[in-house]
Amino acid sequence: MTTTFDRTDVHPPRVAGLLLAAGGGRRLGGRPKALLTHRGRPLVEYAVGVLRAAGCEVVHVVLGASAGLVRERAELPGCVLVDNPEWGEGMGSSLRAGLASLAADPRGVDAALVLLVDQPGIGAEAVARVRAAYEGRESLAAASYDGQRGHPVLFGAAHWAGIAELAVGDRGARDYLAAHRDAITPVDCSDVAEPYDIDTEEDLGHLE
């Protein structure tokens, strides 16, 4: 079946949150990142809360490692949960699965605001800033930290097919963004967020 990434439905512009939460935490002893505890609840719940606080009414969450446990333990009301059985191939497979899910959402989505579950230092203020960079379905925008591009990243729907084609392995949208760097609107978030990842045992100190 061919996924169509272009919708003609008439509705107010809709920027949906796309949370990539499939990681298996290989360097964390195989603990799924979505279920790491942060502020008393699974990290995936915190990240969804950030997207909602930033104004994303529609939120799709891509699950992979221990997806069944995540569904049991995390409270994610109103979210579209997307199972990615190919999560072990890397972030690219989760990004493809998420974009395909957004394209099929009957509410109609004009842009995807992509956040990673293992970056709790990025809060609602930074996400809202990037969301505000939306100008149309051709929009491309990304948070910037001291001049370096990071997450979240906003992809207008006109770019989804091209991103999905190049999203392989752990590169995600990196190749597509490199080829379209002149079209990316940088959004400085250095003053309101810290883009660290929770990858190793030492990184767990960032969790509360």
Side-chain angles (χ1 to χ4, degrees):
M1 183 178 71
T2 301
T3 300
T4 301
F5 289 96
D6 183 34
R7 298 185 61 89
T8 57
D9 305 44
V10 177
H11 59 74
R14 183 171 289 124
V15 177
L18 177 57
L19 178 63
L20 304 186
R26 179 176 53 84
R27 287 184 283 172
L28 292 167
R31 283 177 285 176
K33 291 185 177 183
L35 290 177
L36 295 175
T37 300
H38 183 55
R39 300 184 180 180
R41 295 300 301 166
L43 191 54
V44 65
E45 284 187 23
Y46 174 79
V48 166
V50 167
L51 287 168
R52 294 226 186 271
C56 295
E57 296 180 3
V58 176
V59 177
H60 288 224
V61 181
V62 181
L63 303 177
S66 300
L69 281 178
V70 176
R71 287 173 179 270
E72 290 176 13
R73 298 179 182 177
E75 296 180 7
L76 305 169
C79 293
V80 177
L81 304 183
V82 184
D83 286 321
N84 174 23
E86 300 175 347
W87 65 269
E89 296 180 4
M91 187 191 303
S93 65
S94 291
L95 183 56
R96 293 195 306 271
L99 292 177
S101 180
L102 288 176
D105 193 308
R107 291 166 289 190
V109 175
D110 297 293
L113 187 56
V114 182
L115 185 66
L116 306 182
V117 75
D118 67 345
Q119 293 192 319
I122 299 175
E125 188 170 356
V127 177
R129 282 187 188 180
V130 178
R131 183 177 181 274
Y134 174 81
E135 295 182 346
R137 293 166 65 88
E138 297 281 348
S139 293
L140 278 178
S144 175
Y145 303 93
D146 299 322
Q148 298 296 314
R149 189 176 70 233
H151 285 85
V153 183
L154 183 142
F155 301 133
H159 298 280
W160 294 356
I163 291 169
E165 184 176 356
L166 297 179
V168 295
D170 278 321
R171 297 189 64 80
R174 195 177 307 168
D175 291 343
Y176 188 88
L177 292 175
H180 296 79
R181 61 171 57 90
D182 292 340
I184 301 171
T185 299
V187 182
D188 185 25
C189 295
S190 304
D191 59 325
V192 294
E194 296 180 76
Y196 54 78
D197 301 304
I198 307 297
D199 283 333
T200 66
E201 293 285 345
E202 291 183 353
D203 296 333
L204 294 176
H206 288 296
L207 299 177
E208 301 171 13

